[in-house]
């Protein structure tokens, strides 16, 4: 299938950043993958070229009606020197689920996977080495037809860019403070919440800025109907340990089906730790904190990996979790996932693809 991708290499490779300076999403590699779609041709012209700007007509549909989506996955340089993509099959599946919800034509899963492996292989020298760093793969699809009517575009652009990254949050593995938002919601049943639609992230900016001004790193959204049950953080899914039970909200249509969320649930089940996908109200959390049974809270996400939460703030209550320290289970999960990603533990579940 490799012969299907036309490759034009850059003639001016960029200097690579030092691992120690990596933040999230600020540096980009030498190449990008592109592929077009037209109603009369299907997906065509898979190509890799030098990383650079896109030229768009000002009438391009995506600029007006946000028919746009993305994915996010990571490639890791193992201690054995191998480069591994983490659960790319899950990301391919979610890419096509999102595409369906946004009336974007599906892409052959093999072609998607190949776009990632071929690009990462070409820019493999950009995969950083330090533990905690990785190469973030950002596949994106946009409606590319210049047309102002509100209907699905008749043409699309799929592109993939790569970014060497460090920790997503400035706090790194230190617990973050999260505002439980009583005012704004992220999604409602029947909306876009379970799709990785760019519009979901645009909608999160205002509440997030609000939270930032209050000294919080992120926002935890409550459900849009009852304003009672916790949903997700927007950049990560949330898990809580109350007593011996680990709880995370169910995939009921308004939250993103996170790949790290799925991996954590699989590990917990293997370890025999009770894990429930069930609704959990903010009142239940406040009550557990009062009784001293709210043991741990952490977020899960591709960018965030496993991110400990040290404090939740709801209305006027500061809910401090585990005295603001990383919980034991949070650390164990982080270590187990990172070990598979960097190849220091055997991949017994078929989660990684070597590039
Ligand atoms: C990810 O974790 O990959 C995300 O897409 C979250 C965020 C960086 C937008």
């Amino acid at each position: 299938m490799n012969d299907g991708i036309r490759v034009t290499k850059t003639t001016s490779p960029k200097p690579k950043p030092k691992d120690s300076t990596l933040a999230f999403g600020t540096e980009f590699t030498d190449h990008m993958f592109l592929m077009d779609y037209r109603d009369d041709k299907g997906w065509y012209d898979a190509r890799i070229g030098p990383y650079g700007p896109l030229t768009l007509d000002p009438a391009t549909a995506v600029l007006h009606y946000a028919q746009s989506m993305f994915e996010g996955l990571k490639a890791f340089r193992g201690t054995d020197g191998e480069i591994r993509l983490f659960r790319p099959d899950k990301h391919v599946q979610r890419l096509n689920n999102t595409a369906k919800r946004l009336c974007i034509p599906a892409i052959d899963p093999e072609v998607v996977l190949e776009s990632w492996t071929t690009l990462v292989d070409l820019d493999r020298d950009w995969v950083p080495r330090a533990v905690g760093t990785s190469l973030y793969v950002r596949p994106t699809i946009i409606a590319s037809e210049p047309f102002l009517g509100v209907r699905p575009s008749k043409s699309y652009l799929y592109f993939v860019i790569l970014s060497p990254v460090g920790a997503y949050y400035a706090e790194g593995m230190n617990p973050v403070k999260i505002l439980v938002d009583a005012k704004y919601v992220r999604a409602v049943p029947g909306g876009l919440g379970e799709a990785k639609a760019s519009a979901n992230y645009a909608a999160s900016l205002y509440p997030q800025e609000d939270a930032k001004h209050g000294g919080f790193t992120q926002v935890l959204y409550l459900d849009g109907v009852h304003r009672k049950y916790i949903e997700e953080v927007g950049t990560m899914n949330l898990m809580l340990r109350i007593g011996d039970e680990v709880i995370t909200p169910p995939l009921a249509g308004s939250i993103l089906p996170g790949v790290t969320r799925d991996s954590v649930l699989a590990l917990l089940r293997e370890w025999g730790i009770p894990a429930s996908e069930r609704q959990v109200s903010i009142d239940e959390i406040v009550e557990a904190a009062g009784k001293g049974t709210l043991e741990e809270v952490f977020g899960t996400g591709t960018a965030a990996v496993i991110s400990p939460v040290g404090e939740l703030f709801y209305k006027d209550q500061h809910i401090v979790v585990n005295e603001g320290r990383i919980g034991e289970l949070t650390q164990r999960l982080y270590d187990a996932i990172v070990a598979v990603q960097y190849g220091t533990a055997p991949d017994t579940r078929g989660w990684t693809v070597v590039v």
Side-chain angles (χ1 to χ4, degrees):
M1 277 272 273
N2 240 340
D3 348 324
I5 303 175
R6 197 158 44 84
V7 178
T8 312
K9 287 194 188 166
T10 183
T11 51
S12 44
K14 296 179 276 195
K16 296 177 184 64
K18 288 201 175 74
D19 287 8
S20 58
T21 62
L22 291 174
F24 184 85
T26 53
E27 314 267 354
F28 302 96
T29 68
D30 284 326
H31 298 94
M32 61 186 187
F33 177 96
L34 299 143
M35 184 165 69
D36 295 297
Y37 174 91
R38 265 185 18 204
D39 266 2
D40 58 338
K41 291 177 83 157
W43 287 105
Y44 68 99
D45 198 13
R47 59 202 185 275
I48 288 174
Y51 182 95
L54 304 172
T55 305
L56 296 177
D57 186 302
T60 305
V62 66
L63 302 175
H64 301 272
Y65 309 123
Q67 198 189 359
S68 168
M69 55 166 284
F70 67 97
E71 261 304 317
L73 68 155
K74 281 176 171 172
F76 299 86
R77 187 182 295 279
T79 41
D80 56 359
E82 298 274 26
I83 291 171
R84 294 174 176 83
L85 283 172
F86 187 67
R87 307 200 71 183
D89 50 331
K90 275 274 185 200
H91 288 279
V92 175
Q93 219 176 58
R94 194 172 65 184
L95 177 137
N96 275 329
N97 289 344
T98 300
K100 185 170 181 195
R101 179 62 180 84
L102 292 177
C103 295
I104 294 172
I107 310 179
D108 179 343
E110 271 186 46
V111 174
V112 179
L113 183 60
E114 208 194 337
S115 68
W116 301 344
T117 52
T118 311
L119 186 63
V120 169
D121 188 26
L122 184 64
D123 279 345
R124 60 190 303 122
D125 290 348
W126 283 84
V127 183
R129 290 186 152 72
V131 174
T133 65
S134 57
L135 188 69
Y136 187 72
V137 182
R138 171 51 65 87
T140 306
I141 309 179
I142 58 170
S144 59
E145 183 187 357
F147 176 66
L148 295 184
V150 180
R151 59 140 172 79
S153 177
K154 290 181 193 293
S155 62
Y156 296 89
L157 174 67
Y158 165 63
F159 62 88
V160 186
I161 56 174
L162 306 175
S163 174
V165 298
Y168 183 73
Y169 299 121
E171 289 92 334
M173 243 327 241
N174 295 318
V176 294
K177 288 186 183 181
I178 288 189
L179 173 72
V180 184
D181 211 312
K183 191 165 167 197
Y184 300 102
V185 297
R186 175 184 172 274
V188 289
L192 287 179
E194 69 181 342
K196 211 154 172 64
S198 308
N200 284 331
Y201 297 81
S204 75
L205 298 177
Y206 194 85
Q208 195 180 303
E209 282 301 288
D210 226 21
K212 210 167 103 188
H213 292 136
F216 301 97
T217 307
Q218 281 290 333
V219 172
L220 170 60
Y221 295 98
L222 298 178
D223 77 280
V225 178
H226 310 94
R227 306 285 185 106
K228 180 175 167 187
Y229 300 104
I230 65 159
E231 294 246 305
E232 60 150 276
V233 173
T235 46
M236 55 188 191
N237 296 112
L238 202 80
M239 302 212 177
L240 310 120
R241 182 159 77 86
I242 298 182
D244 288 332
E245 184 193 20
V246 178
I247 311 161
T248 195
L251 301 179
S254 55
I255 71 171
L256 194 80
V259 174
T260 312
R261 175 189 181 279
D262 183 81
S263 310
V264 164
L265 287 174
L267 287 172
L268 291 172
R269 284 170 188 149
E270 273 179 33
W271 295 344
I273 295 173
S276 319
E277 294 174 76
R278 68 163 174 88
Q279 286 189 317
V280 53
S281 70
I282 187 66
D283 296 336
E284 182 181 345
I285 297 171
V286 172
E287 198 187 310
K291 286 199 296 204
T293 55
L294 180 64
E295 307 287 353
E296 298 182 47
V297 180
F298 57 94
T300 64
T302 296
V305 196
I306 305 281
S307 182
V309 175
E311 183 182 323
L312 296 170
F313 183 72
Y314 177 58
K315 293 191 174 158
D316 54 357
Q317 303 178 71
H318 289 274
I319 306 167
V320 177
V321 187
N322 195 32
E323 296 168 353
R325 288 180 287 112
I326 302 175
E328 197 184 312
L329 183 63
T330 308
Q331 186 71 54
R332 185 177 172 202
L333 285 162
Y334 175 84
D335 291 343
I337 289 197
V338 163
V340 177
Q341 291 174 332
Y342 291 91
T344 54
D347 176 13
T348 53
R349 307 163 196 94
W351 280 351
T352 59
V353 169
V354 172
V355 175

